[in-house]
Amino acid sequence: MTQDAIFSPFFATVFLTLLVWVYMYIRRISFIISRKISPKDLAVPGTLAQISPPNVSNPSDNLKNLFEIPVLFYALVLYLFITNQVDSVYVNAAWVFVVFRALHSAVHCTFNLVMLRFSFYLFATLAVWFIAIRAALIHFRMI
């Protein structure tokens, strides 16, 4: 396996973030136009979040989520690449993370069934923790 194989799930996560960002702005701009809200009425931070229904605010919340646990994922990918440790176990775990983050985003941005969304979040996050713990154990030569 080539070391750069880890960058496919890395960029998939980047592009997931891009898709959520675009979707968020489509929802926001449509809401603002349909309600004829003036930009000056949104000058105070948090105003849009206060007046937005869930179908407008959830994509924004999901975008914020994509800058939480995924940040650890990005750091771990770079660590694995720099230390020449990329193997099929890490790449498969990275794809598990991507798939479940994408499912989490799809649910969060649409029908938002909380327990389903949480399940997807949990599996994605467990994949990141698996990568982190395995990398740490190898780093400290415990396995």
Side-chain angles (χ1 to χ4, degrees), residues 41-136:
D41 294 336
L42 301 174
V44 175
T47 301
L48 183 59
Q50 290 176 344
I51 64 172
S52 297
N55 68 335
V56 175
S57 62
N58 285 350
S60 176
D61 292 342
N62 188 259
L63 183 65
K64 291 172 195 166
N65 291 165
L66 289 168
F67 289 94
E68 294 172 351
I69 294 296
V71 172
L72 294 174
F73 173 72
Y74 295 133
L76 287 164
V77 165
L78 295 173
Y79 168 78
L80 294 171
F81 180 78
I82 290 167
T83 59
N84 202 36
Q85 293 184 57
V86 175
D87 63 14
S88 62
V89 174
Y90 284 127
V91 172
N92 288 329
W95 278 117
V96 167
F97 171 74
V98 171
V99 166
F100 282 100
R101 278 312 300 216
L103 291 169
H104 172 270
S105 291
V107 170
H108 197 183
C109 291
T110 58
F111 59 92
N112 199 28
L113 184 60
V114 174
M115 288 311 295
L116 179 62
R117 188 181 95 210
F118 172 74
S119 297
F120 293 152
Y121 172 84
L122 177 64
F123 287 120
T125 304
L126 287 173
V128 169
W129 291 127
F130 169 78
I131 293 168
I133 291 167
R134 183 174 184 243

